[in-house]
Amino acid sequence: MGRYVIRRLIQAIPVLLGATLLIFCIVFALPGDPIAALFGDKRPDPAVAEVLREQYHLNDPLLLQYWYYISGVLFRGDFGVNFADVPVSQIMVGKFQITLNLALTALVMEAFIGVGLGLWAALRRGKATDTMILASTLLLISVPTLVTGFVLQLLLGVKLKEWTGLDIFPVAGTFAGWRSYVLPGFVLAGTSIAYLTRLTRTSLVETLRADYIRTATAKGLSRRRVIGRHGLRNALIPLVTYLGADLGNLMGGAVITETIFNLQGIGNQLFTSVYLREQPVVVGIVTVLVLIYILANLVVDLLYAVLDPRIRYE
Amino acid sequence: MNKTSTDLSPAEVTPGDEPLLAVDDLHVEFHTRAGTVRAVNGVSYTVGAGETLAVLGESGSGKSVTAQAIMGILDMPPAVIPHGEIRFKGTDLLKLSEEARTQVRGQRIAMIFQDALSALNPVFTVGWQISEMFRVHRGMSKSEAMKKAVELMDRVRIPAAKQRVHDYPHQFSGGMRQRIMIAMSIALDPEVLIADEPTTALDVTVQAQIMELLAELQRESQMGLILITHDLGVVADVADKIAVMYAGRIVENAPVYDIYKTPAHPYTKGLLDSIPRVDLKGQDLYAIKGLPPNLLDLPKGCSFHPRCPYRQDNCESTAPQLYEISGIRGSACHYWREVLDGERQQ
C-alpha cells in the first residue's frame, strides 16, 4: 500500500510538469503585451518597458522562462510575484480557502441530495416518483449554470427576502459565514447532483439484480437489511469514485458561480489574471488545481481498495 | 433446536400422511411485454425428511422457478402464482404473510445457488456472511456468531477454517466457495435444503466431493433435500427419486433406479441416450432432435410432441396427464407402455 502511494506520487510529477508547461505555453501564446497591459491606457516609456521586460525575464526563450518558474516552485516553494510585486502564494491562499469552502459545500450537497434522490428513485423504479426524479435531473443537466445561478439568486436571494422578510440566503459575497455558500454551492453542484442521482439510481438497480442479493433474500433477511447492508455497500463503490473525482471539477469549475455571487475565490482570480495576463498567477493557480486533481484521484483509488476487497495495491 | 421463533400455526405437527414438503399443482407465470410466459404448469412433488428428490430438466424447464417459488424469492411482479399450493408440514406457504414467510426462509427451508462466486457478497468476509445468520435470526453477539461460523466451516471441511473465516469469497477456490455456500445454508439446521445446480460451475472431481458432502450432511440431520440439476450423472448416486421436468411440467416421476433402467417417457429416454458412454466410443452421440419449446407459445397437446419419436395423432390435441404406472412411478405420456418396452436408441 505504502509503495503504491509513493509510486503514484512519483507518477504525478510528469503530469504536473506537463500540465504546467502546457498552461505556460498557452498563456505565452495569448495576444497582447503584459507590460503594455500594466500601464493601462497610457503608453509606457519604451526604456521603462524594456527594464521591466528584463526584470521579469520576458525576453528570454519560453523554455528558459518556464525553467525559472518551475524551479522556483519545486525547490523553493516560490510561486513568484505578480507585476505589483505581491507574492503569488499570498494572492492564492485566501482565495483558495473561499473556493475550497464553496466546493466542499457543493460536494456535501451533491452527496446528500444526489445519492438520496438516486436511492429513492431506484427503490421506486418505474413509478411516478422515479419518473419525476429522472425528469428533473434532465432539466438540471440541460439548463446552464448561468441560468440556474441568476434565477436562484433572484428568487431565493432577492425575492424571498422581499416577500417574507426572511434573510436566509445572501445575494452575494461571503459576509454571512457558511450561509453565504449555500446558494452558490447548490448552483455549482447542480449538474453534478443530476449526474450523481442518475448514477446512484443505475448503480443500486444494477446491484439489486445481483445474485448475492437473491442469496441475502434466501437467507431470510428483511428487505431493509437486504437493500441497506448487502445492496448499498456494493452500490456505493462507483459513487465514491465519482464524488472524489468531482472535487477537482468543482474547484476548477467555480469561475461562473463565483462571478455570479461575487465570491472572491480562485475562479474569480483566475479570470482576472488571465485578463491581465499575469502569467505567474495563472500558472500558479492551475498548478495547485492540477495538484488537487491528482491528490483527489489518488484518494479515490485508495478508497476503492477500502470499499472493494477484491482490489489490492502492491 | 429452538423453533419457537418460527411459528407455523396451525398445523405444526405433521399429519400422518403429509410429507415434509409438498408442491401441489403449482403454476407460475411471468407477465412480460412479449406476453405471458408459462414457466411452471401444474407441478406436483413431495419430499420427506431424510429423502432426496432430484429434479431434472434442461434450462427453461421450470425446475429453478419451482424452487424459487418454494423459497419465495421470485420477483413478483413479473411472476404470478395463479394456482397451486406449497405445503410445508401441512401449512400452505403461499398463504402466509410476508413476515411469516421470512421466518421460514433460510431458517427452515434453505437454498444453495449455482455459482457461489456471484451468489456470495463480494465485499463481506465469508465469516461475516455465515455468522449473519446467527446474528440476525438467533440474536447472537458478533464473537459468538463468528465462533459458530468457524464450526460450520469445519463441518463442511474447509481447511484452516479459523484463519480463513476472515477471507473474502474471491480468495477461495470454486469448490471451497460452494462449501461456504453450503455452510451458510445449513447454519440454522433447515428441514428442507434446496440445491439449485450446486455443482454446475465446478470441476468433475470437485463435483463429486460436493455431492458427497451434501449427502453426508443430509444423513446427519435428516433434511429433505431437493437437488435441481440438468446432469443425470450427478444425481445417480445420491437421489432417492427423480422428477423429470419439461416445459414447466413433470413428465416422469420415479425412484432413481427405475428411471435409469426403464425410462417411461420419451424425453427421459432421450436424455439417457444422450449421455456419452465409453463402450460406444467413436459413434455419433445421440441428441434429442428439435429445440426446447417456446414458453410464450407452448405446443398444443403434449408439449414434447414436436420432438417425440413416439408421436401419434392424438398427442397434438390432448395433453397427457401424469399416468400412474405403479406406486410412485408416473409418466406423462399416452404411450408410456411402448416407451417402457421400447429399445433404447443406439
Side-chain angles (χ1 to χ4, degrees), chain A residues 59-308:
Chain A
N59 289 331
D60 292 336
L62 174 66
L63 275 177
L64 192 61
Q65 286 189 39
Y66 177 70
W67 171 248
Y68 287 138
Y69 176 73
I70 203 68
S71 57
V73 172
L74 287 180
F75 305 128
R76 282 172 274 125
D78 175 14
F79 283 88
V81 293
N82 71 356
F83 294 122
D85 255 342
V86 182
V88 171
S89 45
Q90 195 185 318
I91 297 175
M92 291 197 294
V93 165
K95 310 216 150 141
F96 256 107
Q97 189 57 54
I98 288 178
T99 303
L100 197 66
N101 288 349
L102 178 64
L104 287 177
T105 312
L107 202 68
V108 169
M109 287 185 158
E110 193 183 327
F112 280 93
I113 303 175
V115 174
L117 283 180
L119 294 181
W120 194 17
L123 296 178
R124 296 271 180 287
R125 192 160 60 96
K127 306 225 169 80
T129 321
D130 181 28
T131 317
M132 262 167 56
I133 291 175
L134 283 184
S136 45
T137 58
L138 206 59
L139 191 77
L140 213 52
I141 290 172
S142 23
V143 176
T145 313
L146 216 52
V147 177
T148 44
F150 281 122
V151 168
L152 287 178
Q153 188 179 41
L154 180 70
L155 286 179
L156 296 177
V158 180
K159 294 292 178 189
L160 186 72
K161 196 161 144 195
E162 274 182 30
W163 292 332
T164 63
L166 295 169
D167 187 11
I168 304 173
F169 304 109
V171 180
T174 49
F175 306 108
W178 63 271
R179 277 194 298 129
S180 320
Y181 292 104
V182 176
L183 205 50
F186 181 78
V187 171
L188 179 60
T191 38
S192 294
I193 288 175
Y195 279 120
L196 194 66
T197 303
R198 289 177 159 252
L199 187 66
T200 308
R201 179 184 176 276
T202 317
S203 178
L204 187 64
V205 166
E206 280 298 310
T207 307
L208 292 184
R209 271 198 212 117
D211 284 354
Y212 52 79
I213 294 299
R214 196 185 50 187
T215 310
T217 313
K219 281 165 92 173
L221 306 176
S222 62
R223 185 174 145 79
R224 197 191 177 84
R225 194 177 167 88
V226 170
I227 296 173
R229 288 308 282 279
H230 289 262
L232 212 52
R233 181 61 214 287
N234 282 280
L236 280 179
I237 297 172
L239 309 184
V240 171
T241 330
Y242 181 85
L243 272 172
D246 209 37
L247 180 64
N249 284 331
L250 289 172
M251 293 206 63
V255 183
I256 295 173
T257 313
E258 284 180 4
T259 312
I260 295 173
F261 292 95
N262 194 26
L263 304 175
Q264 294 306 314
I266 216 70
N268 238 334
Q269 181 63 49
L270 194 61
F271 180 73
T272 316
S273 297
V274 169
Y275 190 75
L276 293 178
R277 298 204 55 204
E278 290 182 323
Q279 274 187 36
V281 183
V282 175
V283 182
I285 290 172
V286 173
T287 308
V288 178
L289 282 178
V290 168
L291 242 152
I292 289 174
Y293 255 97
I294 291 171
L295 288 178
N297 275 310
L298 179 62
V299 169
V300 165
D301 284 348
L302 296 180
L303 263 179
Y304 234 140
V306 174
L307 289 172
D308 190 340

Side-chain angles (χ1 to χ4, degrees), chain A residues 210-212 214-215 217-222 225 229-231 233-234 237 307-310 312, chain B residues 71 102 105-106 113 118-124 128-129 132-133 135-137 168 170 181 184:
Chain A
D211 284 354
Y212 52 79
R214 196 185 50 187
T215 310
T217 313
K219 281 165 92 173
L221 306 176
S222 62
R225 194 177 167 88
R229 288 308 282 279
H230 289 262
R233 181 61 214 287
N234 282 280
I237 297 172
L307 289 172
D308 190 340
R310 284 166 296 185
R312 281 265 167 281
Chain B
M71 286 301 290
T102 308
R105 201 181 287 149
F113 297 96
S118 62
L120 290 168
N121 198 321
V123 300
F124 297 115
W128 189 94
Q129 294 187 57
E132 188 182 26
M133 297 297 280
R135 279 181 283 124
V136 173
H137 295 302
Y168 291 91
H170 71 273
M181 199 70 226
M184 198 160 76

Side-chain angles (χ1 to χ4, degrees), chain B residues 200-252:
Chain B
T200 305
L202 304 174
D203 292 345
V204 183
T205 45
V206 182
Q207 282 186 4
Q209 293 167 9
I210 294 288
M211 291 313 300
E212 224 167 86
L213 176 66
L214 278 175
E216 190 186 308
L217 292 170
Q218 184 204 24
R219 269 198 304 279
E220 285 168 13
S221 62
Q222 288 297 298
M223 295 182 288
L225 179 62
I226 301 177
L227 203 61
I228 296 165
T229 181
H230 63 259
D231 189 346
L232 273 167
V234 165
V235 297
D237 296 331
V238 288
D240 297 308
K241 54 184 189 181
I242 291 190
V244 182
M245 286 188 70
Y246 186 81
R249 281 200 179 86
I250 289 185
V251 292
E252 182 166 1

Side-chain angles (χ1 to χ4, degrees), chain B residues 56-79:
Chain B
L56 197 75
E58 58 199 2
S59 320
S61 61
K63 55 193 197 302
S64 292
V65 175
T66 310
Q68 285 170 17
I70 296 173
M71 286 301 290
I73 54 171
L74 283 170
D75 279 330
M76 299 167 67

